[in-house]
């Protein structure tokens, strides 16, 4: 009994781990403690048995008091194939606390994952579940700090690991710390670090020194060992404390100590030591432990159901030997170390392992676990087993665990007879598609390439080629050689050809930027799918065709949208973000039908929220925000845009698009600096991705933010690039980005009046052809500024008055307010500069900014309202300066805007008067004057006047 008691004490961790018991780990412990105290996270890594768990538990004990909530999980290898077991450990006990704080779709997803019950509305990508985990942690952290303690991270089931990493990367400043330990070889911890919060400190737990091994052995009661023996233990164990303790135990129990120089008379691996310990078990207890080692979450009840009638007594015997750890918080049967379970399983004869799995295939309650055990109990092919695995894969897919679905699908293919239905390769291709959904692109590509080496059925080959293309992502030029092979395999089968031409549509857009070619490919794909009776792919192709035609300003776009909306519809398409419903919304908002556009996209948003389709929800949130922005509801638009951006960053979907829209909303109703930051971020990402379409959108947002910030020259630089890009892409509908009026206005501000008129004329022709009324109104506003610049003030005022009325009737509230602002500035300008109408009568209409301020307040357009307030403040008096005639030769070296500003300074105009005269901000005037001073080698406005008089300053 003495030996049994010793084994029990050493295999199990002490009931309470104190820092002073973390022998040889003081430096690691201090570093980890300081990191946690700063609010950061820690990842401990090292070899099996190296002491990671001891350090982790000591740190957890010390830090638990500072956290309101401590979430724990400790996985085992046998659990790693089942989805969400670790998630259940972490969140199972707090589900009731957080579920009421989650949106309905997220709550349903989380409850379904944790309980395996209820009808799941998850889409295959499981985004609703990812967001649910993130939201749950945020909800817990809102009540106080959260500490997540996760041991043996390498054994986390893939679904839980993905969810935990997804949340960890997005928690930001949320008070959630993670304390994790992972078994690694060498320095292979990077992939686990990537799944941790960005501020995680990775600490390697290294082997113990000889002195530390000696201290450890003494602490555990193995005293009096000769120094040479301790040296041998250190060498043989490699400094691994678990191995060292086992060697020390074996030596202490050996009545005949080894002679000096002899090898230690004990095994040199933990596996062998464990197997020696198994010799103390009865045969029946050994079989019970084998069943437990094969199970995912063994409990006495499960062991009973698997035919182990004396499970309690036999597991108690194993626990007394230290092979099992007690579970005070639950009924699970847990091995003292994962290696014990692995060694026991590996040493069992194959027929005993199969028998254990056969028993568990009937006893397990989870259908996924039952299917896995059935597969491991079966040799060769078996249709029933294959069907069971295929059903389990479908269940995993519906639960939002595509990685698990892929592995089960591959098992199903392995057990499917050659003449089975579905065929083995068909199941492999389904597994590959699941792998794509899970982000395992290399696996998917390998499966598809493997199928292509032997597949003879055209449908299988084309499907495999489509997988190869899909795994290329946006880098479709890298798979150009695939298309001819896929077309050859498709032959004259219209359904297969439709799939290929749909992919060729994307290639035309992404690789060639050729919208005409893309439109032809989409139309051809739709026609082929219709001929094949494939309604799903017909509708997807028609929807894509409609989107392309809308961007092109093609007259057939409305008719194509009607075709895409014609019954019968496919529910997978109707609410898809690339479906006809969204295409119709885009057409409505571009056609100024704002009320109907809002109704359409709001309905779509509600439906995808009900279904839990997060990717489409991100798109439709942007759609609602854009509609609100166009309607002049800037505050509401900003709230929605920020929500969309948060979801996009949480999911990794549509980040550039959401950043672009949020930039527009920030510039209109929030903070201009934030708008500039987001737009520049979007430009950078689009340039890195080689995405010309979204680069033009991002630059348009940047140009608008620069205009609001008073940087007219920056606006011109950005929007000139947009004009060039969209000309190259063939985008002719000005309602797509609505940047043309901003470009014309900025060009007027920097004095490039001729180019401004050219932008207006070209865009007006396109807008007239398409009936884009709001675009025409904004162009007229810009043209009024051109007229004012040319001295046609009365005509400009009349034109702006008409524009304001037209925009109000169209419901474009923000553009209406901007026009009122321009009108107020124009009416104020002549009086401010001493101009009057012929006969001495003043300019008609009010000269205050009250109307513009009222409209901007109604829109909650705070950045614009700040401009109105600045313009309405009377300028500070400046000393009168003589106004000699401008000296053209002095100003010849200046740029156009610089010459105009300098000339007005020579006339005696103040900075505010110059800003009003040139339709620029006071900030732009000041920046321009700074450049003038530098170029002319002077220091002040007075020096400009002196130069004009021919007197240079010294």
């Amino acid at each position: 009994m003495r030996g049994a008691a010793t084994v029990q004490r050493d295999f199990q961790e002490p009931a309470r781990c104190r820092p002073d018991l973390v022998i040889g780990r003081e430096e690691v412990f201090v570093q980890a403690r300081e990191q946690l105290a700063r609010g950061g996270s820690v990842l401990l890594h090292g070899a099996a048995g190296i002491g990671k768990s001891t350090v982790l538990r000591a740190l957890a004990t010390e830090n638990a008091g500072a956290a309101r909530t401590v979430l724990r999980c400790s996985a085992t290898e046998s659990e790693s194939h089942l989805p969400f077991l670790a998630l259940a450990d972490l969140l199972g006990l707090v589900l009731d606390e957080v579920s009421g704080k989650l949106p309905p779709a997220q709550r349903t997803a989380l409850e379904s994952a944790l309980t395996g019950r209820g009808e799941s509305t998850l889409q295959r990508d499981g985004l609703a579940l990812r967001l649910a985990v993130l939201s749950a942690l945020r909800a817990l952290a809102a009540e106080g700090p959260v500490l997540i303690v996760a041991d043996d991270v390498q054994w986390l089931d893939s679904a839980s690991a993905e969810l935990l990493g997804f949340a960890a990367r997005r928690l930001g400043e949320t008070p959630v710390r993670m304390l994790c330990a992972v078994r690694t070889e060498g320095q292979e911890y990077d992939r686990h670090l990537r799944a941790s919060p960005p501020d995680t400190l990775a600490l390697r737990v290294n082997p113990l020194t000889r002195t530390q091994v000696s201290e450890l052995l003494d602490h555990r009661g193995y005293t009096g060992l000769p120094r040479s023996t301790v040296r041998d233990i250190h060498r043989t164990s490699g400094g691994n404390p678990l191995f060292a303790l086992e060697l020390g135990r074996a030596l202490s129990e050996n009545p005949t100590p080894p002679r000096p120089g002899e090898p230690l008379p004990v095994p040199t691996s933990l596996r062998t030591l464990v197997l020696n310990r198994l010799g103390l078990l009865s045969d029946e207890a050994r079989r019970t432990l084998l069943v437990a080692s094969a199970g995912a979450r063994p409990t006495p009840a499960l062991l009973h159901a698997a035919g182990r009638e004396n499970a309690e007594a036999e597991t108690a015997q194993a626990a007394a030997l230290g092979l099992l750890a007690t579970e005070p918080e639950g009924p699970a049967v847990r091995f003292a170390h994962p290696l014990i379970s692995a060694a026991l399983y590996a040493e069992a004869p194959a027929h005993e392992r199969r028998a254990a799995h056969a028993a568990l295939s009937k006893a397990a309650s989870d259908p996924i676990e039952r299917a896995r055990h059935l597969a491991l109990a079966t040799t060769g092919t078996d249709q029933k087993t294959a069907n069971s695995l295929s059903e389990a894969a479908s269940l995993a897919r519906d639960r939002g665990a595509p990685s698990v679905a892929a592995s089960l699908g591959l098992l199903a293919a392995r057990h499917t007879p050659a003449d089975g239905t579905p065929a083995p390769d068909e199941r492999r291709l389904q597994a590959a598609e699941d792998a794509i959904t899970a982000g395992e692109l290399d696996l998917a590509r390998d499966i598809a390439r493997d199928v292509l080496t032997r597949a003879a059925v055209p449908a299988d080959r084309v499907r495999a080629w489509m997988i190869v293309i899909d795994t290329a992502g946006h880098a479709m030029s890298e798979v150009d050689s695939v298309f001819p092979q896929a077309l050859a395999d498709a032959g004259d089968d219209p359904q297969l050809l439709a799939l290929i031409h749909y992919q060729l549509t994307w290639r035309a857009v992404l690789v060639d930027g050729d919208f005409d070619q893309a439109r032809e490919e989409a139309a051809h794909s739709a026609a082929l799918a219709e001929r094949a009776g494939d309604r799903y792919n017909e509708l997807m192709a028609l929807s894509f065709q409609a989107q392309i035609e809308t961007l092109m300003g093609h007259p057939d776009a409305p008719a194509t949208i009607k075709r895409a909306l014609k019954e019968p519809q496919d529910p997978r398409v109707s609410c898809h973000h690339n479906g006809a419903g969204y295409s119709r919304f885009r057409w409505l908002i571009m056609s100024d039908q704002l009320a109907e556009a809002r109704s359409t996209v709001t309905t779509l948003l509600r439906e995808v929220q009900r279904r839990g389709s997060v990717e489409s929800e991100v798109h439709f949130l942007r759609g609602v925000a854009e509609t609100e922005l166009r309607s002049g509801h800037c505050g509401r638009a900003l709230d929605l845009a920020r929500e969309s951006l948060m979801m996009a960053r949480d999911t990794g979907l549509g980040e550039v698009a959401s950043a672009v829209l949020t930039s527009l909303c920030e510039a209109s109703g929030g903070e201009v600096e934030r708008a500039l930051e987001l737009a520049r971020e979007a430009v950078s990402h689009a340039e890195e991705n080689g995405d010309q379409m979204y680069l033009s959108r991002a630059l348009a947002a940047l140009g608008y933010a620069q205009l609001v910030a008073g940087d007219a020259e920056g606006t011109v630089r950005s929007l000139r690039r947009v004009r060039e890009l969209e000309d190259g892409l063939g985008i002719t509908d000005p309602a797509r980005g609505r940047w043309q009026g901003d470009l014309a206005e900025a060009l007027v501000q920097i004095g490039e009046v001729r180019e401004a008129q050219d932008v207006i004329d070209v865009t007006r022709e396109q807008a007239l052809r398409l009936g884009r009324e709001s675009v025409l109104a904004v162009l007229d506003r810009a043209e009024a500024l051109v007229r004012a610049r040319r001295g046609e003030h009365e005509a400009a005022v009349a034109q702006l008055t008409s524009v304001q009325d037209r925009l109000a009737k169209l419901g474009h509230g923000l553009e209406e307010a901007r026009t009122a602002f321009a009108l107020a500035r124009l009416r104020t300008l002549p009086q401010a500069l001493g101009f009057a109408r012929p006969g001495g009568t003043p300019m008609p209409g009010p000269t205050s900014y009250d109307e513009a301020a009222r409209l901007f307040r109604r829109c909650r357009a705070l950045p614009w309202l700040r401009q109105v307030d600045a313009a309405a403040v009377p300028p500070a008096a400046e000393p009168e300066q003589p106004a000699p005639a401008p000296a053209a030769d002095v100003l010849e070296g200046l740029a156009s805007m610089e010459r105009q500003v300098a000339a007005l300074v020579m006339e005696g105009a103040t900075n505010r008067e110059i800003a009003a005269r040139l339709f620029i901000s006071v900030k732009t005037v000041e920046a321009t004057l700074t450049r003038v001073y530098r170029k002319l080698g002077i220091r002040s406005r007075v020096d400009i006047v002196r130069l004009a008089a021919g007197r240079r300053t010294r």
Side-chain angles (χ1 to χ4, degrees), residues 534-796:
D534 185 349
R535 186 62 173 161
Y536 171 79
N537 283 305
E538 178 190 1
L539 291 173
M540 289 299 293
L542 284 172
S543 299
F544 199 1
Q545 180 185 344
Q547 291 185 44
I548 295 167
E549 289 174 348
T550 299
L551 289 173
M552 296 173 67
H554 198 283
D556 290 350
T560 305
I561 292 173
K562 285 184 179 179
R563 287 180 61 200
L565 289 169
K566 188 178 179 181
E567 296 293 339
Q569 284 291 307
D570 187 308
R572 294 172 295 172
V573 179
S574 58
C575 290
H576 196 281
H577 54 273
N578 283 328
Y582 195 67
S583 297
R584 180 172 179 270
F585 159 72
R586 296 300 322 162
W587 178 261
L588 288 169
I589 197 170
M590 292 170 70
S591 302
D592 299 315
Q593 300 178 57
L594 296 181
E596 193 171 355
R598 181 186 292 108
S599 174
T600 298
V601 74
T602 301
T603 300
L604 289 169
L605 177 60
R606 287 173 180 164
E607 180 61 19
V608 299
Q609 286 175 333
R610 185 185 69 81
R611 296 185 178 195
S613 178
V614 180
E615 183 174 5
S616 293
E617 183 178 353
V618 173
H619 281 74
F620 297 155
L621 267 174
R622 287 201 303 267
V624 178
E626 182 181 353
T627 308
E628 298 295 345
L629 182 62
R630 299 295 171 213
S631 302
H633 306 148
C634 298
R636 169 70 173 154
L638 182 57
D639 290 342
L640 289 165
R642 286 172 174 170
E643 183 181 354
S644 169
L645 181 60
M646 185 177 75
M647 290 185 69
R649 287 180 169 168
D650 285 347
T651 60
L653 295 169
E655 292 184 71
V656 173
S658 293
V660 166
L661 182 64
T662 308
S663 172
L664 291 170
C665 293
E666 289 281 2
S668 300
E671 296 296 332
V672 180
E673 288 303 318
R674 177 60 175 157
L676 291 166
E677 178 186 341
L678 285 168
R680 289 180 177 124
E681 174 188 316
V683 168
S684 176
H685 285 310
E687 287 178 332
E688 289 174 6
N689 296 335
D691 189 337
Q692 298 299 294
M693 286 185 61
Y694 267 102
L695 177 58
S696 73
R697 285 184 177 273
L699 285 166
L702 178 59
Y704 175 66
Q706 290 168 323
L707 183 68
V708 179
D711 181 7
E713 292 180 344
T715 298
V716 170
R717 284 194 302 272
S718 297
L719 297 185
R720 277 174 175 165
R721 286 186 67 190
V722 177
R723 192 181 190 190
E724 181 182 351
L725 282 167
E726 295 200 355
D727 284 347
L729 289 169
I731 297 174
T732 61
D733 193 332
R736 184 244 185 183
R738 299 177 181 268
W739 49 266
Q740 295 85 350
D742 291 339
L743 174 57
E745 182 176 333
L747 286 166
V748 171
Q749 291 185 21
I750 67 171
E752 300 292 344
V753 178
R754 183 175 299 176
E755 184 182 349
Q757 189 64 56
D758 177 66
V759 170
I760 293 167
D761 292 342
V762 171
T763 308
R764 179 179 282 137
E765 181 180 352
Q766 298 165 342
L768 283 168
R769 176 175 61 85
L770 297 168
R772 302 299 192 230
E773 293 297 330
S774 63
V775 173
L776 288 167
V778 169
L779 292 172
D780 284 351
R781 182 178 69 208
E783 189 170 56
L785 301 181
V786 171
R787 287 183 170 183
R789 188 60 182 271
R790 290 170 174 165
E792 303 171 18
H793 296 291
E794 289 192 37

Side-chain angles (χ1 to χ4, degrees), residues 81 124 158 368 389-390 392-398 400-414 427-441 443-444 447:
H81 68 283
R124 287 174 54 187
S158 59
I368 294 178
L389 286 163
S390 184
S394 296
L395 180 58
R397 193 179 304 123
D398 185 59
S403 179
V404 175
S407 62
L408 290 169
L410 289 175
L411 275 174
R414 186 178 304 166
R427 282 179 162 153
R428 289 187 181 94
L429 292 172
Q430 177 62 65
E433 290 164 356
D434 286 329
I436 290 176
T437 304
E440 299 175 17
L441 301 185
L443 173 61
I447 295 171

Side-chain angles (χ1 to χ4, degrees), residues 209-271:
T209 65
R210 187 174 67 184
T211 301
Q212 290 166 345
V213 166
S214 178
E215 183 182 357
L216 176 65
L217 292 169
D218 286 344
H219 177 76
R220 292 298 182 95
Y222 307 128
T223 57
L225 294 173
R227 181 176 297 181
S228 60
T229 302
V230 172
R231 184 181 62 241
D232 289 342
I233 290 175
H234 177 255
R235 184 185 66 249
T236 305
S237 69
N240 185 300
L242 180 62
F243 289 4
L245 288 171
E246 282 299 296
L247 289 167
R249 176 186 299 112
L251 285 170
S252 68
E253 296 173 353
N254 191 339
T256 306
R259 289 177 294 179
E262 281 188 345
L264 295 178
V266 291
T268 58
S269 71
L270 179 61
R271 175 179 171 181

Side-chain angles (χ1 to χ4, degrees), residues 43 71-74 84 86-87 89-91 129-134 137 146-154 156-171 176-181 192-198 200:
L43 176 68
L71 307 176
R72 301 175 187 269
C73 70
S74 182
F84 310 127
L87 182 66
D89 283 344
L90 288 171
L91 297 179
L129 179 56
R130 295 185 181 101
L131 291 180
V133 174
L134 180 58
L137 292 176
V146 176
L147 176 64
I148 298 174
V149 181
D151 200 3
D152 284 320
V153 170
Q154 75 280 358
L156 288 184
D157 60 275
S158 59
S160 295
E162 179 191 2
L163 292 168
L164 195 58
F166 177 90
R169 292 189 298 272
R170 291 162 173 82
L171 286 168
V176 177
R177 296 173 297 165
M178 292 182 65
L179 175 57
C180 303
H192 299 290
L193 191 61
R194 288 194 295 270
S196 303
T200 299

